[in-house]
């Protein structure tokens, strides 16, 4: 075999969980070869460099071998070489550290853990306004008279 469909290769090398997902990502323009978006039916050969955008990072793979069926995770290095730069992995780590702080609109309700973290951040003493003391007010008539 000298050529193979890109969607089938992406699925077989475990870049995507399902072949239909690999097909959809190709159609959305998230898979490129030499800077050009490729269709799911695009044929690849050994030596091609493929870029796959999985937000927030872009993975870069070199085709080392072609295969007919999906292989186990331990055999994947026989068919692809990961050329993804380290700075892309640093971006991924920053997103993981960011956690709930970078929650995008529409991402749903916070989890229990995130709720506890937000509650700890918003200290109850800071939000408690019932401690007003009538006998020792913060603003007196003398202060008001001084302002004129």
């Amino acid at each position: 075999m000298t050529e193979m469909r890109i969607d089938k290769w992406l699925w077989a090398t475990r870049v995507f969980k399902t072949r239909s997902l690999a097909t959809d990502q190709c159609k959305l323009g998230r898979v490129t070869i030499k800077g050009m978006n490729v269709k799911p039916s695009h044929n690849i050969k050994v030596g091609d460099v493929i870029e796959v955008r999985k937000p927030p990072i872009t993975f870069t793979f070199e085709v080392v071998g072609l295969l007919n069926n999906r292989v186990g995770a331990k055999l994947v290095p026989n068919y692809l070489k990961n050329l993804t730069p380290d700075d892309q992995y640093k971006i991924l780590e920053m997103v993981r550290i960011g956690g709930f702080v970078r929650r995008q609109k529409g991402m749903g309700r916070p989890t229990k853990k995130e709720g506890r973290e937000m509650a700890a951040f918003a200290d109850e003493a800071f939000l408690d306004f019932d401690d007003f003391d009538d006998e020792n007010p913060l603003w007196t008539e003398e202060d008001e008279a001084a302002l004129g």
Side-chain angles (χ1 to χ4, degrees):
M1 173 175 14
T2 60
E3 290 187 344
M4 176 180 195
R5 284 176 58 111
I6 191 165
D7 62 338
K8 187 173 181 181
W9 185 85
L10 290 170
W11 164 76
T13 56
R14 298 180 173 268
V15 175
F16 291 105
K17 191 172 185 176
T18 65
R19 186 165 173 191
S20 62
L21 185 60
T23 301
D24 292 342
Q25 296 303 306
C26 289
K27 288 178 182 177
L28 290 173
R30 293 188 176 162
V31 179
T32 60
I33 295 178
K34 298 178 185 173
M36 300 284 293
N37 293 343
V38 293
K39 293 181 179 180
S41 61
H42 182 83
N43 286 325
I44 59 170
K45 56 187 178 298
V46 175
D48 284 348
V49 176
I50 301 169
E51 291 184 355
V52 179
R53 281 190 299 127
K54 285 185 167 182
I57 68 171
T58 302
F59 293 96
T60 306
F61 303 109
E62 180 181 351
V63 179
V64 176
L66 302 175
L67 61 161
N68 286 325
N69 297 320
R70 190 169 171 99
V71 295
K74 291 182 179 179
L75 299 176
V76 168
N78 298 334
Y79 300 99
L80 69 82
K81 183 177 179 183
N82 191 348
L83 304 175
T84 307
D86 289 336
D87 63 335
Q88 292 292 317
Y89 287 112
K90 289 178 185 176
I91 292 171
L92 185 61
E93 188 62 27
M94 292 297 288
V95 169
R96 286 185 183 153
I97 291 171
F100 75 93
V101 175
R102 295 181 184 257
R103 178 176 293 280
Q104 294 178 352
K105 185 176 181 181
M107 291 298 293
R109 293 176 54 180
T111 62
K112 284 184 177 182
K113 180 181 177 184
E114 292 169 344
R116 288 191 299 268
E117 290 172 351
M118 287 188 284
F121 180 73
D123 186 27
E124 290 182 24
F126 177 72
L127 298 176
D128 192 10
F129 293 106
D130 295 336
D131 292 339
F132 186 74
D133 187 5
D134 289 332
E135 293 181 17
N136 297 315
L138 298 174
W139 188 261
T140 62
E141 293 177 12
E142 297 161 357
D143 294 329
E144 191 143 344
L147 287 175

